Amino acid sequence: MKGLKNREPEIVEVESTDKVPLFEHLTRMRDRFKLGPHHRMERFTVTLSATIVFLLLFSGLSLAQDRSNAARQVSVQAKYTESFIFSLSGQKMFVEGVFGDSNHTDVMVLLRLQDPKGMSVDASNYQLFITGLDKSMNSGPKTTFSMFGSTGYAIVRFQSDEPIPKRILDVTIRANEQLSAQGESKSSGDKNNTDGSFAKYDQGRFYVNPGAENIKILDWLNPGEKNPTKLYTALVAEAKDDQIREQIKKQTSEMKNLLNRAKEYTNRLVAAGYEAPKTPWFVEGDYIDENRGLVAAKNLAGAHLLDYSTMTIRDGYIKQVMGSFSEFDSYMKKKTESTNLATDDKKADRKERVDQVDTLNNDDGSTLDLRLVSTGSSPSAQVAAKDSTESLVQTWRSYLTIKQKVQRDLMRSLLVLDADVLSQELGFSEQQNENSVTYY
């Protein structure tokens, strides 16, 4: 028996297959489709056809994308007009924003007259004409026009049981009572007005999509709310309240910096052996709390003492300082008189000013006349003392200016804003005539 090492290797025959090289395969395809060097016309035709197909495909995709973007814009964008001009009076009106509930069943377009004195502030003196931007409309959601009295603010309100449709509306407002002289322009400037009505009536036009997604949601206002004070608070006053309160925070932050700066300059003088100048009464004891609110040890004359850090316009400010809104005028008059007395140095009990400091007392009993100190001719320690004193005085003056602005001007702005809210109980008007709104 032969061992395994002596076995002859077995040869397995496999049927061979002729493989066509890739280059030869491509050559055959070229000849089949007549793309060789002797078929120039055929090559041109294929290239041209491929290019046309690519361009058609690209154009189709671009068109589809444009339509998608346009549809998305109509779905999302609510405001299309920033402002418009009434055709005869030339009065300007701004489109401030579009507001509504989360279900989009109660949507309000906020408008503002640039000059309320030049236009009627009674909603019954206006008419609305509404149509679609792309095609006419036989009807639409319940629509009303209202005005917030002499503030110049107005609203076009759309209400429905179902969500307001996403559609761009062409809205024309006609003023039936003209209070100002005819302006030069006889066109709203928003569109070619070929119907002749803009030359005959005092009209303005704007575009809006009340069904759009990006309206500002008024989460605390009940849909269908009719109380004018709540409407004005939600649509107008809250935004103004935020702006005023932000200004107060910036001012009080600067006041805190000034208090720290005054402390630094005082410490420098004390460290140098001098007696620091007396701190003015309107600075001494003041501090800024953790909410960036001013806590004043002594208030300025005519100051409005309001809690603005924990309360907002929703809570009201007027009731913090007076018994009722009827006392507003007399209250403001007294505050103005008190302020005038405080700024009259001859009559003021406590002067609101910082006097120039000319001398410093030293710990050894000597006195430094700062008027005689000058850079280059006086010891550096005396020059540093003069610089610290001048910086301290300027810091106190800056502090007084800001404290006056906060306690008088900005606090008064909050009270006036609250007065605008409360005045809506009498100043608010709404168009009651159903024929005043026309869909066409």
Side-chain angles (χ1 to χ4, degrees):
M1 179 180 288
K2 294 182 178 180
L4 293 176
K5 293 182 179 181
N6 297 321
R7 293 182 59 183
E8 294 292 335
E10 296 181 355
I11 299 177
V12 179
E13 294 185 2
V14 180
E15 183 178 358
S16 63
T17 303
D18 292 335
K19 294 184 178 180
V20 180
L22 177 61
F23 179 76
E24 185 178 345
H25 182 70
L26 293 176
T27 301
R28 291 179 181 177
M29 289 184 63
R30 181 198 66 185
D31 294 340
R32 179 181 300 176
F33 291 102
K34 297 182 180 181
L35 299 178
H38 303 294
H39 300 87
R40 182 177 300 173
M41 192 63 187
E42 286 80 355
R43 291 202 314 273
F44 173 78
T45 302
V46 171
T47 303
L48 179 62
S49 300
T51 302
I52 293 175
V53 170
F54 174 78
L55 290 176
L56 290 174
L57 179 61
F58 180 78
S59 299
L61 292 175
S62 299
L63 181 60
Q65 183 64 36
D66 289 341
R67 288 182 176 178
S68 176
N69 292 338
R72 178 62 179 168
Q73 187 179 34
V74 171
S75 175
V76 174
Q77 186 174 341
K79 187 174 72 168
Y80 289 83
T81 305
E82 297 296 331
S83 64
F84 57 91
I85 304 292
F86 282 87
S87 56
L88 298 183
S89 63
Q91 294 295 320
K92 192 173 187 178
M93 181 170 263
F94 297 91
V95 183
E96 297 287 286
V98 184
F99 306 78
D101 64 326
S102 58
N103 294 324
H104 286 65
T105 58
D106 186 6
V107 178
M108 291 168 278
V109 182
L110 180 65
L111 308 172
R112 176 176 62 86
L113 282 169
Q114 185 178 44
D115 180 18
K117 296 179 182 178
M119 297 285 286
S120 173
V121 293
D122 185 350
S124 63
N125 291 327
Y126 293 85
Q127 286 179 267
L128 297 181
F129 299 89
I130 305 174
T131 187
L133 182 63
D134 50 353
K135 60 180 179 180
S136 61
M137 301 175 63
N138 295 325
S139 63
K142 178 186 176 182
T143 307
T144 55
F145 181 73
S146 307
M147 299 200 74
F148 292 107
S150 59
T151 65
Y153 284 94
I155 54 174
V156 177
R157 191 172 192 174
F158 301 93
Q159 294 174 288
S160 175
D161 294 333
E162 300 295 329
I164 306 297
K166 295 179 175 65
R167 184 176 186 179
I168 301 176
L169 301 182
D170 177 339
V171 182
T172 297
I173 300 180
R174 176 181 296 176
N176 293 321
E177 292 290 337
Q178 190 173 331
L179 305 183
S180 55
Q182 180 171 321
E184 296 180 359
S185 173
K186 292 187 178 181
S187 170
S188 70
D190 294 324
K191 186 179 180 181
N192 293 327
N193 301 306
T194 58
D195 60 3
S197 63
F198 283 81
K200 184 177 180 180
Y201 302 100
D202 195 19
Q203 300 180 161
R205 169 183 274 125
F206 68 95
Y207 303 95
V208 68
N209 182 0
E213 297 173 7
N214 71 340
I215 65 172
K216 184 174 181 180
I217 303 300
L218 302 174
D219 52 0
W220 67 273
L221 192 70
N222 294 326
E225 179 63 63
K226 294 184 177 181
N227 187 315
T229 60
K230 290 185 178 180
L231 289 174
Y232 190 82
T233 298
L235 295 171
V236 180
E238 277 202 315
K240 292 188 174 184
D241 186 43
D242 289 341
Q243 293 175 356
I244 297 171
R245 287 153 61 86
E246 186 60 32
Q247 291 183 57
I248 294 174
K249 288 181 179 180
K250 289 181 179 179
Q251 296 297 327
T252 53
S253 292
E254 180 59 22
M255 292 176 77
K256 183 177 181 179
N257 293 335
L258 291 171
L259 289 174
N260 291 336
R261 198 177 304 167
K263 184 178 180 181
E264 171 63 23
Y265 295 137
T266 299
N267 290 339
R268 290 182 187 182
L269 291 172
V270 172
Y274 296 99
E275 181 181 328
K278 185 179 179 181
T279 303
W281 65 268
F282 48 80
V283 179
E284 183 68 35
D286 284 7
Y287 68 94
I288 308 301
D289 63 18
E290 63 278 4
N291 296 320
R292 289 195 289 178
L294 168 63
V295 180
K298 295 183 178 65
N299 296 299
L300 301 177
H304 304 284
L305 307 180
L306 305 177
D307 176 8
Y308 61 88
S309 59
T310 65
M311 302 185 73
T312 69
I313 191 63
R314 292 191 198 179
D315 306 303
Y317 299 112
I318 285 179
K319 61 185 178 183
Q320 295 185 37
V321 295
M322 64 188 81
S324 65
F325 181 42
S326 62
E327 303 173 20
F328 184 81
D329 291 338
S330 60
Y331 168 86
M332 285 297 183
K333 182 179 179 180
K334 290 179 181 179
K335 290 296 181 180
T336 301
E337 292 173 349
S338 178
T339 300
N340 292 337
L341 286 175
T343 54
D344 187 344
D345 288 343
K346 295 181 179 179
K347 298 180 181 180
D349 295 332
R350 294 187 298 182
K351 296 181 180 180
E352 294 181 8
R353 71 180 187 189
V354 181
D355 295 324
Q356 185 66 38
V357 177
D358 294 326
T359 60
L360 288 177
N361 296 325
N362 206 311
D363 291 343
D364 59 9
S366 61
T367 301
L368 175 63
D369 190 340
L370 298 176
R371 292 169 295 184
L372 303 177
V373 177
S374 62
T375 302
S377 60
S378 301
S380 58
Q382 293 182 354
V383 173
K386 181 178 181 179
D387 290 342
S388 294
T389 302
E390 292 177 346
S391 297
L392 179 61
V393 170
Q394 183 57 48
T395 299
W396 285 339
R397 287 173 178 163
S398 299
Y399 185 87
L400 174 59
T401 299
I402 297 179
K403 189 171 183 177
Q404 290 171 336
K405 183 175 183 179
V406 170
Q407 287 202 325
R408 291 176 183 153
D409 300 341
L410 293 175
M411 295 300 170
R412 181 175 63 246
S413 296
L414 291 178
L415 290 172
V416 171
L417 180 62
D418 197 18
D420 286 343
V421 172
L422 298 177
S423 65
Q424 297 311 314
E425 294 181 359
L426 297 176
F428 182 79
S429 62
E430 184 175 271
Q431 177 60 268
Q432 301 294 333
N433 184 358
E434 294 182 358
N435 295 326
S436 63
V437 180
T438 303
Y439 280 91
Y440 65 98

